[in-house]
Amino acid sequence: SVDENISNLNSNQTNKKTARNEKKDSDENIYDLVEQMPSFRGGTVALMSYISKTLKFPDEVCGQGRVIVEFVVEKDGRITNAIVIRSVDPAFDREALRIINSMPKWIPGKKNGRNVRVRFNVPVQFKLQ
């Protein structure tokens, strides 16, 4: 009957919504904002110091600029999925990705007291000295 079909349709939509909500709260979700954001051990000053000490200015580039790299801080603090979201020059981009991918583990982000995956952006500044 029509009423049964409507009832089944509503039931299916409810099941899909529940599954979607469960997936949203799953451990594999990547968050943009959490109660405790991930942090580089030693804080922002230590992060900027690490970047400046590790940075090797590419020989083939005669310029300067700021590359912004986005990455995921995993539940165990590892850095994964690094991509350039603001490019200046391909050589700068490669160096910025090298630096980000070589970083030591971070202190992971937390949501509801549990470690979660969090998306993070970091600028890498290239300046001629």
Side-chain angles (χ1 to χ4, degrees):
S1 78
V2 173
D3 288 337
E4 276 181 10
N5 288 339
I6 291 172
S7 176
N8 288 340
L9 181 63
N10 288 337
S11 175
N12 287 341
Q13 287 176 338
T14 301
N15 290 342
K16 285 180 184 174
K17 283 181 184 175
T18 302
R20 219 178 285 133
N21 288 341
E22 286 170 7
K23 189 173 184 180
K24 190 183 275 186
D25 292 334
S26 102
D27 287 342
E28 299 313 308
N29 198 29
I30 298 173
Y31 296 91
D32 292 315
L33 188 62
V34 292
E35 290 114 31
Q36 183 182 327
M37 290 298 285
S39 60
F40 189 82
R41 295 189 190 280
T44 305
V45 172
L47 172 61
M48 293 304 141
S49 175
Y50 173 83
I51 290 171
S52 67
K53 287 178 187 170
T54 311
L55 188 135
K56 295 176 185 158
F57 204 92
D59 293 332
E60 67 269 28
V61 181
C62 331
Q64 52 188 25
R66 185 174 66 161
V67 174
I68 298 179
V69 179
E70 177 182 281
F71 54 90
V72 174
V73 179
E74 296 290 341
K75 292 183 276 186
D76 64 359
R78 288 177 301 118
I79 303 302
T80 62
N81 304 334
I83 59 167
V84 172
I85 60 170
R86 182 169 179 264
S87 176
V88 175
D89 178 274
F92 286 165
D93 297 350
R94 283 190 299 277
E95 178 60 8
L97 287 172
R98 184 192 70 77
I99 291 168
I100 297 302
N101 286 318
S102 71
M103 284 192 295
K105 285 186 176 183
W106 283 41
I107 298 166
K110 290 184 184 282
K111 179 178 178 179
N112 298 327
R114 295 178 57 201
N115 290 0
V116 292
R117 302 171 76 204
V118 181
R119 189 178 337 271
F120 208 87
N121 295 340
V122 167
V124 179
Q125 187 75 39
F126 293 86
K127 282 187 181 176
L128 294 170
Q129 299 297 345

